[in-house]
Structures are given as structure tokens and as C-alpha cells.
């Protein structure tokens, strides 16, 4: 595995874990209601779902690559379009009504497990994120790398969660997030659109008819 591939997988796990979504919004709500310890418990439980969905996404990506470059390119186009749609929705997001997303969970750890395993967006977002960042290195992927890919994505997600645990529950962070929630969401939307363009740039040429 090349250093660039190692960093791409780490970055994928990190971005998947830290990008604002249902899980991140939930942990900020729990942290606001019950403090950093409850938020950390939720994230520790949520990590199980992340590992399962990221592993499943990596299996799908490596499988598509092993089947053939066309299958991987099709997956890349679908992932790019999905990421673009998510990004466009985020860019056009409107201010929320202020409801706390299940912030009063009595058992944050078990709530985190259930939340992580049942989040309907987890798998497609994982596939889209990993495909977007790994597409330029697709030729390096194979089944023998899968355990290392999963471990690296786990480490990336763990780093993201360590940062979230460090800031969740802090009054200044809570205030800043609540005040600029819309801007943060839109900024993440722009980032998703960037990932989408990257995925499409690498996938579309492989689906074009050869001029030979």
C-alpha cells in the first residue's frame, strides 16, 4: 500500500466520521442536554455502526474493482451523483426549527449503537465518500488489502470521534455551532460537491467509448 493510499483511506474514515449529519447533530444535542460524558457514550456506541457500514462499503468498492474497471467506474458515477445531491441539499438548507435531535437519550451508549446501525444514509454515504477519495487509486485495490483498509478507516473514524468528544459539551462550541449551524451545513455541502466532482472526473473517462 502506497503512502497516498494509506492517507486516502484514513482521510475517508475521518471525513465520514466528522462530517455533520444525523449522528453528529445527535451527539451535539446530547452533549448540550447531558454533557460531554453522555456525548462520548453515544459516539462509542455509534462507532459500531460506523465500522459495519464502512467495512461493507469497502467490500463493495474492492469487489467492484476486482470484477472490472467498468463496475468500479459505474459505482464511482453513482456515488458522485449521490454526493452531489447531498451537497446540493446542504447548500440549499434552511435554518432548522430548533428541535433537539433525541438529545435526552437515557442510555447514550445503547442509543448510539441503535442509531448507528439503523441510519439509512450510513451505507450510501460511506460508499460515496470512500469511492470519491479512492477513485484515483482504484488500480491498487485488492482483497488482500481489505483488513488493512478497514483498520485504517476505523482509525480515521476514531480520530474524528476523539475530536468530537473533545469539543462536545463545551459551552463556547455549543454556542458557536448553534449560531452558525446553517453556515457549517452549507460549507459541508460545498465539500461534498467537491468530492462528487472528484469522483466523476475519475469515473466518467473509463465509461467513454474508446477512440481506437
Amino acid at each position: 500500500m502506497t503512502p497516498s493510499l494509506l492517507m486516502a483511506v484514513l482521510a475517508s474514515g475521518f471525513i465520514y466520521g466528522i462530517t455533520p449529519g444525523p449522528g453528529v447533530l445527535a451527539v451535539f444535542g446530547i452533549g448540550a442536554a447531558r454533557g460531554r460524558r453522555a456525548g462520548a457514550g453515544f459516539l462509542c456506541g455509534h462507532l459500531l455502526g460506523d465500522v459495519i457500514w464502512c467495512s461493507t462499503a469497502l467490500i463493495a468498492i474492492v469487489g467492484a474493482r476486482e470484477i472490472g474497471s467498468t463496475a468500479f467506474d459505474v459505482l464511482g458515477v453513482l456515488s458522485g451523483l449521490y454526493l452531489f445531491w447531498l451537497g446540493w441539499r446542504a447548500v440549499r438548507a434552511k435554518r432548522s426549527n430548533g428541535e433537539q435531535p433525541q438529545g435526552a437519550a437515557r442510555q447514550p451508549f445503547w442509543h448510539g449503537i441503535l442509531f448507528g446501525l439503523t441510519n439509512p444514509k450510513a451505507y450510501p454515504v460511506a460508499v460515496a465518500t470512500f469511492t470519491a477519495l479512492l477513485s484515483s487509486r482504484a488500480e491498487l485495490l485488492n482483497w488482500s488489502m481489505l483488513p488493512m483498509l478497514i483498520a485504517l478507516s476505523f482509525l480515521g473514524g476514531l480520530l474524528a470521534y476523539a475530536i468530537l468528544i473533545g469539543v462536545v459539551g463545551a459551552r463556547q462550541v455549543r454556542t458557536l455551532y448553534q449560531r452558525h449551524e446553517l453556515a457549517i451545513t452549507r460549507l459541508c455541502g460545498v465539500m461534498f460537491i467537491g468530492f462528487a466532482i472528484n469522483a466523476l472526473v475519475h469515473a466518467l473517462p473509463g465509461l467513454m467509448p474508446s477512440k481506437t
Side-chain angles (χ1 to χ4, degrees):
M1 294 181 69
T2 65
S4 63
L5 179 59
L6 293 174
M7 291 305 299
V9 179
L10 272 171
S12 299
F14 178 82
I15 291 169
Y16 176 80
I18 208 167
T19 302
V24 173
L25 294 177
V27 75
F28 271 97
I30 291 172
R34 302 191 57 197
R36 180 177 288 112
R37 185 173 181 178
F42 174 86
L43 285 177
C44 288
H46 198 277
L47 188 61
L48 174 61
D50 284 351
V51 170
I52 291 175
W53 293 122
C54 288
S55 299
T56 306
L58 285 168
I59 290 171
I61 290 170
V62 175
R65 171 59 189 162
E66 289 289 315
I67 291 171
S69 59
T70 299
F72 187 86
D73 289 334
V74 170
L75 181 62
V77 170
L78 293 176
S79 299
L81 292 175
Y82 181 71
L83 273 180
F84 188 91
W85 178 73
L86 287 179
W88 184 249
R89 284 188 61 188
V91 168
R92 299 184 62 194
K94 293 181 170 47
R95 189 170 301 278
S96 64
N97 56 15
E99 293 180 359
Q100 292 292 342
Q102 305 188 44
R106 295 182 179 180
Q107 297 179 308
F109 177 75
W110 295 107
H111 178 57
I113 290 179
L114 182 62
F115 197 105
L117 291 175
T118 58
N119 183 358
K121 290 185 177 180
Y123 174 69
V125 170
V127 170
T129 304
F130 279 81
T131 301
L133 293 182
L134 297 179
S135 57
S136 62
R137 304 164 185 85
E139 70 281 357
L140 302 176
L141 302 176
N142 58 64
W143 288 116
S144 64
M145 292 181 177
L146 188 59
M148 181 62 73
L149 295 176
I150 293 173
L152 287 170
S153 69
F154 172 77
L155 288 177
L158 203 60
L159 177 60
Y161 278 8
I163 293 174
L164 288 175
I165 290 172
V167 301
V168 71
R171 179 178 300 176
Q172 297 89 339
V173 173
R174 251 187 1 248
T175 302
L176 180 67
Y177 185 83
Q178 291 169 352
R179 183 177 300 168
H180 301 288
E181 178 182 355
L182 187 60
I184 293 171
T185 299
R186 289 175 173 171
L187 182 61
C188 289
V190 172
M191 183 176 66
F192 269 26
I193 291 174
F195 289 155
I197 293 172
N198 178 72
L200 292 172
V201 164
H202 285 95
L204 285 174
L207 297 176
M208 297 297 181
S210 176
K211 295 184 177 180
T212 57

